[in-house]
Amino acid sequence: MKAQFGLHLLELTQGDITLQEVDAIVNAANSALAGGGGVDGAIHRRGGPSLMEETRRRFPMGCPTGDAVATAAGKLAAKWVFHAVGPVWLGGHRGEPDQLQSAYRRCLELARQHGCHSVSFPALSTGAYGYPMDLAAEHALHAIRQFFLDSPEAPALHVRVVLFDAGAYAAFARVLETLLA
Ligand code: AR6
């Protein structure tokens, strides 16, 4: 499913984030940037040890929740990996929506700063961090759309959200339909 916002394109697809041929892929990291399972494990496995070497060297203090840092992408097809730290879901009243939106926005700012034309996101926080998929879809797509509306100028950005399974895809598609209605 695709939606155009001025110059910018938002696409939803089902698949594996590590296989995306885009300028940057987003990692669902933790604030220690210590590696882990899920997307994080898959990105480090496929990207090789240079990713962890670079995060340890350049970001020894890690990265706060709601923020993101960029490294080169090692053996991945992308040029960059943006290591984004989404919130752990604690019921929704501890600032999780703002933190999740901030994590998306920071990655989009990094995409701009690094001259990216295309960036792929996983559904941040919806695995080990327990964020309910429907709410994550709402907050993620709201953040992306707001970034597009706030930066209508060129260069055009192609944002692809890569959902791992059909349920996640359906949740994001439902929200995107309501945004377009
Ligand atoms: N491609 C796309 N999506 C994927 C893939 C993949 N290869 N693998 C899993 N997903 P998670 P989080 C989906 O747990 O919730 C790690 O240990 C998955 O189905 O990767 O932000 C980190 O080190 C889910 O919908 O990230 C952190 O400690 C979504 O990606 C912590 O987990 C995110 O799941 C971060 O947890």
PDB file of all heavy atoms in Angstrom, residues 19-45:
ATOM      1  N   LEU A  19      16.602  -7.073   4.400  1.00  0.00           N
ATOM      2  CA  LEU A  19      16.794  -7.298   2.964  1.00  0.00           C
ATOM      3  C   LEU A  19      16.450  -6.072   2.124  1.00  0.00           C
ATOM      4  O   LEU A  19      16.493  -6.127   0.894  1.00  0.00           O
ATOM      5  CB  LEU A  19      15.938  -8.490   2.512  1.00  0.00           C
ATOM      6  CG  LEU A  19      16.247  -9.807   3.227  1.00  0.00           C
ATOM      7  CD1 LEU A  19      15.301 -10.904   2.770  1.00  0.00           C
ATOM      8  CD2 LEU A  19      17.696 -10.208   3.003  1.00  0.00           C
ATOM      9  N   GLN A  20      16.124  -4.978   2.781  1.00  0.00           N
ATOM     10  CA  GLN A  20      15.660  -3.795   2.053  1.00  0.00           C
ATOM     11  C   GLN A  20      16.808  -3.088   1.334  1.00  0.00           C
ATOM     12  O   GLN A  20      17.844  -2.823   1.936  1.00  0.00           O
ATOM     13  CB  GLN A  20      14.996  -2.818   3.030  1.00  0.00           C
ATOM     14  CG  GLN A  20      13.813  -3.401   3.755  1.00  0.00           C
ATOM     15  CD  GLN A  20      12.712  -3.834   2.806  1.00  0.00           C
ATOM     16  OE1 GLN A  20      12.279  -3.042   1.977  1.00  0.00           O
ATOM     17  NE2 GLN A  20      12.282  -5.076   2.916  1.00  0.00           N
ATOM     18  N   GLU A  21      16.582  -2.798   0.062  1.00  0.00           N
ATOM     19  CA  GLU A  21      17.599  -2.073  -0.708  1.00  0.00           C
ATOM     20  C   GLU A  21      17.225  -0.594  -0.728  1.00  0.00           C
ATOM     21  O   GLU A  21      16.589  -0.096  -1.661  1.00  0.00           O
ATOM     22  CB  GLU A  21      17.700  -2.665  -2.107  1.00  0.00           C
ATOM     23  CG  GLU A  21      18.153  -4.108  -2.028  1.00  0.00           C
ATOM     24  CD  GLU A  21      18.561  -4.710  -3.352  1.00  0.00           C
ATOM     25  OE1 GLU A  21      18.486  -4.009  -4.375  1.00  0.00           O
ATOM     26  OE2 GLU A  21      18.942  -5.889  -3.332  1.00  0.00           O
ATOM     27  N   VAL A  22      17.590   0.056   0.363  1.00  0.00           N
ATOM     28  CA  VAL A  22      17.259   1.473   0.561  1.00  0.00           C
ATOM     29  C   VAL A  22      18.512   2.155   1.106  1.00  0.00           C
ATOM     30  O   VAL A  22      19.483   1.488   1.468  1.00  0.00           O
ATOM     31  CB  VAL A  22      16.093   1.629   1.572  1.00  0.00           C
ATOM     32  CG1 VAL A  22      14.772   1.226   0.946  1.00  0.00           C
ATOM     33  CG2 VAL A  22      16.360   0.841   2.852  1.00  0.00           C
ATOM     34  N   ASP A  23      18.483   3.472   1.187  1.00  0.00           N
ATOM     35  CA  ASP A  23      19.670   4.175   1.694  1.00  0.00           C
ATOM     36  C   ASP A  23      19.917   3.879   3.170  1.00  0.00           C
ATOM     37  O   ASP A  23      21.055   3.788   3.606  1.00  0.00           O
ATOM     38  CB  ASP A  23      19.504   5.691   1.493  1.00  0.00           C
ATOM     39  CG  ASP A  23      19.479   6.068   0.026  1.00  0.00           C
ATOM     40  OD1 ASP A  23      20.105   5.360  -0.784  1.00  0.00           O
ATOM     41  OD2 ASP A  23      18.831   7.078  -0.322  1.00  0.00           O
ATOM     42  N   ALA A  24      18.832   3.783   3.938  1.00  0.00           N
ATOM     43  CA  ALA A  24      18.993   3.555   5.380  1.00  0.00           C
ATOM     44  C   ALA A  24      17.916   2.611   5.891  1.00  0.00           C
ATOM     45  O   ALA A  24      16.760   2.704   5.472  1.00  0.00           O
ATOM     46  CB  ALA A  24      18.900   4.871   6.134  1.00  0.00           C
ATOM     47  N   ILE A  25      18.323   1.711   6.787  1.00  0.00           N
ATOM     48  CA  ILE A  25      17.305   0.928   7.489  1.00  0.00           C
ATOM     49  C   ILE A  25      17.388   1.264   8.973  1.00  0.00           C
ATOM     50  O   ILE A  25      18.452   1.616   9.489  1.00  0.00           O
ATOM     51  CB  ILE A  25      17.431  -0.601   7.269  1.00  0.00           C
ATOM     52  CG1 ILE A  25      18.727  -1.162   7.811  1.00  0.00           C
ATOM     53  CG2 ILE A  25      17.271  -0.951   5.811  1.00  0.00           C
ATOM     54  CD1 ILE A  25      18.774  -2.685   7.737  1.00  0.00           C
ATOM     55  N   VAL A  26      16.240   1.172   9.617  1.00  0.00           N
ATOM     56  CA  VAL A  26      16.136   1.528  11.030  1.00  0.00           C
ATOM     57  C   VAL A  26      16.164   0.252  11.853  1.00  0.00           C
ATOM     58  O   VAL A  26      15.471  -0.728  11.548  1.00  0.00           O
ATOM     59  CB  VAL A  26      14.842   2.326  11.290  1.00  0.00           C
ATOM     60  CG1 VAL A  26      14.662   2.577  12.780  1.00  0.00           C
ATOM     61  CG2 VAL A  26      14.876   3.652  10.522  1.00  0.00           C
ATOM     62  N   ASN A  27      16.995   0.293  12.897  1.00  0.00           N
ATOM     63  CA  ASN A  27      17.094  -0.824  13.830  1.00  0.00           C
ATOM     64  C   ASN A  27      16.245  -0.529  15.059  1.00  0.00           C
ATOM     65  O   ASN A  27      16.213   0.602  15.543  1.00  0.00           O
ATOM     66  CB  ASN A  27      18.575  -0.988  14.226  1.00  0.00           C
ATOM     67  CG  ASN A  27      18.799  -2.166  15.155  1.00  0.00           C
ATOM     68  OD1 ASN A  27      17.941  -3.062  15.244  1.00  0.00           O
ATOM     69  ND2 ASN A  27      19.930  -2.189  15.834  1.00  0.00           N
ATOM     70  N   ALA A  28      15.573  -1.560  15.578  1.00  0.00           N
ATOM     71  CA  ALA A  28      14.828  -1.439  16.839  1.00  0.00           C
ATOM     72  C   ALA A  28      15.782  -1.799  17.972  1.00  0.00           C
ATOM     73  O   ALA A  28      15.850  -2.945  18.405  1.00  0.00           O
ATOM     74  CB  ALA A  28      13.610  -2.373  16.828  1.00  0.00           C
ATOM     75  N   ALA A  29      16.549  -0.780  18.423  1.00  0.00           N
ATOM     76  CA  ALA A  29      17.640  -1.012  19.376  1.00  0.00           C
ATOM     77  C   ALA A  29      17.164  -0.809  20.812  1.00  0.00           C
ATOM     78  O   ALA A  29      16.029  -0.390  21.058  1.00  0.00           O
ATOM     79  CB  ALA A  29      18.782  -0.050  19.053  1.00  0.00           C
ATOM     80  N   ASN A  30      18.063  -1.080  21.760  1.00  0.00           N
ATOM     81  CA  ASN A  30      17.815  -0.719  23.162  1.00  0.00           C
ATOM     82  C   ASN A  30      18.750   0.436  23.540  1.00  0.00           C
ATOM     83  O   ASN A  30      19.698   0.738  22.818  1.00  0.00           O
ATOM     84  CB  ASN A  30      18.002  -1.925  24.086  1.00  0.00           C
ATOM     85  CG  ASN A  30      19.345  -2.609  23.857  1.00  0.00           C
ATOM     86  OD1 ASN A  30      20.393  -2.011  24.078  1.00  0.00           O
ATOM     87  ND2 ASN A  30      19.299  -3.839  23.362  1.00  0.00           N
ATOM     88  N   SER A  31      18.489   1.060  24.684  1.00  0.00           N
ATOM     89  CA  SER A  31      19.208   2.308  24.984  1.00  0.00           C
ATOM     90  C   SER A  31      20.686   2.077  25.300  1.00  0.00           C
ATOM     91  O   SER A  31      21.474   3.016  25.245  1.00  0.00           O
ATOM     92  CB  SER A  31      18.523   3.085  26.101  1.00  0.00           C
ATOM     93  OG  SER A  31      18.439   2.275  27.229  1.00  0.00           O
ATOM     94  N   ALA A  32      21.076   0.846  25.588  1.00  0.00           N
ATOM     95  CA  ALA A  32      22.509   0.552  25.763  1.00  0.00           C
ATOM     96  C   ALA A  32      23.177   0.281  24.423  1.00  0.00           C
ATOM     97  O   ALA A  32      24.400   0.161  24.367  1.00  0.00           O
ATOM     98  CB  ALA A  32      22.678  -0.644  26.689  1.00  0.00           C
ATOM     99  N   LEU A  33      22.402   0.202  23.358  1.00  0.00           N
ATOM    100  CA  LEU A  33      22.908  -0.191  22.026  1.00  0.00           C
ATOM    101  C   LEU A  33      23.701  -1.495  22.147  1.00  0.00           C
ATOM    102  O   LEU A  33      24.757  -1.662  21.514  1.00  0.00           O
ATOM    103  CB  LEU A  33      23.760   0.922  21.399  1.00  0.00           C
ATOM    104  CG  LEU A  33      23.083   2.285  21.208  1.00  0.00           C
ATOM    105  CD1 LEU A  33      24.075   3.306  20.640  1.00  0.00           C
ATOM    106  CD2 LEU A  33      21.870   2.165  20.284  1.00  0.00           C
ATOM    107  N   ALA A  34      23.186  -2.401  22.962  1.00  0.00           N
ATOM    108  CA  ALA A  34      23.929  -3.611  23.315  1.00  0.00           C
ATOM    109  C   ALA A  34      23.613  -4.793  22.418  1.00  0.00           C
ATOM    110  O   ALA A  34      24.150  -5.882  22.608  1.00  0.00           O
ATOM    111  CB  ALA A  34      23.625  -3.975  24.766  1.00  0.00           C
ATOM    112  N   GLY A  35      22.743  -4.602  21.429  1.00  0.00           N
ATOM    113  CA  GLY A  35      22.322  -5.736  20.611  1.00  0.00           C
ATOM    114  C   GLY A  35      21.251  -6.522  21.346  1.00  0.00           C
ATOM    115  O   GLY A  35      20.954  -6.245  22.511  1.00  0.00           O
ATOM    116  N   GLY A  36      20.639  -7.463  20.651  1.00  0.00           N
ATOM    117  CA  GLY A  36      19.568  -8.235  21.278  1.00  0.00           C
ATOM    118  C   GLY A  36      18.938  -9.152  20.260  1.00  0.00           C
ATOM    119  O   GLY A  36      19.592  -9.575  19.303  1.00  0.00           O
ATOM    120  N   GLY A  37      17.632  -9.416  20.447  1.00  0.00           N
ATOM    121  CA  GLY A  37      16.922 -10.317  19.531  1.00  0.00           C
ATOM    122  C   GLY A  37      16.164  -9.533  18.477  1.00  0.00           C
ATOM    123  O   GLY A  37      16.481  -8.371  18.201  1.00  0.00           O
ATOM    124  N   GLY A  38      15.154 -10.157  17.890  1.00  0.00           N
ATOM    125  CA  GLY A  38      14.268  -9.483  16.937  1.00  0.00           C
ATOM    126  C   GLY A  38      15.023  -8.812  15.802  1.00  0.00           C
ATOM    127  O   GLY A  38      15.995  -9.350  15.255  1.00  0.00           O
ATOM    128  N   VAL A  39      14.586  -7.613  15.459  1.00  0.00           N
ATOM    129  CA  VAL A  39      15.194  -6.836  14.373  1.00  0.00           C
ATOM    130  C   VAL A  39      16.677  -6.581  14.677  1.00  0.00           C
ATOM    131  O   VAL A  39      17.538  -6.705  13.792  1.00  0.00           O
ATOM    132  CB  VAL A  39      14.450  -5.483  14.238  1.00  0.00           C
ATOM    133  CG1 VAL A  39      15.200  -4.545  13.323  1.00  0.00           C
ATOM    134  CG2 VAL A  39      13.032  -5.709  13.732  1.00  0.00           C
ATOM    135  N   ASP A  40      16.967  -6.232  15.911  1.00  0.00           N
ATOM    136  CA  ASP A  40      18.332  -5.894  16.321  1.00  0.00           C
ATOM    137  C   ASP A  40      19.276  -7.069  16.039  1.00  0.00           C
ATOM    138  O   ASP A  40      20.348  -6.900  15.425  1.00  0.00           O
ATOM    139  CB  ASP A  40      18.301  -5.581  17.829  1.00  0.00           C
ATOM    140  CG  ASP A  40      19.421  -4.671  18.283  1.00  0.00           C
ATOM    141  OD1 ASP A  40      20.231  -4.259  17.437  1.00  0.00           O
ATOM    142  OD2 ASP A  40      19.493  -4.385  19.496  1.00  0.00           O
ATOM    143  N   GLY A  41      18.875  -8.250  16.476  1.00  0.00           N
ATOM    144  CA  GLY A  41      19.708  -9.435  16.245  1.00  0.00           C
ATOM    145  C   GLY A  41      19.892  -9.692  14.758  1.00  0.00           C
ATOM    146  O   GLY A  41      21.004  -9.971  14.286  1.00  0.00           O
ATOM    147  N   ALA A  42      18.811  -9.567  14.000  1.00  0.00           N
ATOM    148  CA  ALA A  42      18.862  -9.865  12.561  1.00  0.00           C
ATOM    149  C   ALA A  42      19.761  -8.857  11.835  1.00  0.00           C
ATOM    150  O   ALA A  42      20.550  -9.230  10.952  1.00  0.00           O
ATOM    151  CB  ALA A  42      17.443  -9.836  11.980  1.00  0.00           C
ATOM    152  N   ILE A  43      19.673  -7.584  12.207  1.00  0.00           N
ATOM    153  CA  ILE A  43      20.493  -6.546  11.548  1.00  0.00           C
ATOM    154  C   ILE A  43      21.975  -6.759  11.866  1.00  0.00           C
ATOM    155  O   ILE A  43      22.821  -6.706  10.980  1.00  0.00           O
ATOM    156  CB  ILE A  43      20.015  -5.134  11.957  1.00  0.00           C
ATOM    157  CG1 ILE A  43      18.717  -4.817  11.210  1.00  0.00           C
ATOM    158  CG2 ILE A  43      21.086  -4.072  11.684  1.00  0.00           C
ATOM    159  CD1 ILE A  43      18.112  -3.450  11.494  1.00  0.00           C
ATOM    160  N   HIS A  44      22.293  -7.022  13.115  1.00  0.00           N
ATOM    161  CA  HIS A  44      23.710  -7.227  13.468  1.00  0.00           C
ATOM    162  C   HIS A  44      24.254  -8.510  12.838  1.00  0.00           C
ATOM    163  O   HIS A  44      25.397  -8.536  12.383  1.00  0.00           O
ATOM    164  CB  HIS A  44      23.889  -7.229  14.985  1.00  0.00           C
ATOM    165  CG  HIS A  44      23.896  -5.845  15.579  1.00  0.00           C
ATOM    166  ND1 HIS A  44      24.964  -4.992  15.461  1.00  0.00           N
ATOM    167  CD2 HIS A  44      22.942  -5.165  16.244  1.00  0.00           C
ATOM    168  CE1 HIS A  44      24.677  -3.835  16.061  1.00  0.00           C
ATOM    169  NE2 HIS A  44      23.448  -3.921  16.548  1.00  0.00           N
ATOM    170  N   ARG A  45      23.452  -9.545  12.763  1.00  0.00           N
ATOM    171  CA  ARG A  45      23.915 -10.804  12.133  1.00  0.00           C
ATOM    172  C   ARG A  45      24.242 -10.575  10.664  1.00  0.00           C
ATOM    173  O   ARG A  45      25.280 -10.951  10.171  1.00  0.00           O
ATOM    174  CB  ARG A  45      22.826 -11.877  12.232  1.00  0.00           C
ATOM    175  CG  ARG A  45      23.037 -12.854  13.385  1.00  0.00           C
ATOM    176  CD  ARG A  45      22.172 -14.099  13.254  1.00  0.00           C
ATOM    177  NE  ARG A  45      20.764 -13.829  12.997  1.00  0.00           N
ATOM    178  CZ  ARG A  45      19.882 -13.464  13.917  1.00  0.00           C
ATOM    179  NH1 ARG A  45      20.252 -13.310  15.178  1.00  0.00           N
ATOM    180  NH2 ARG A  45      18.614 -13.257  13.599  1.00  0.00           N
TER     181      ARG A  45
END
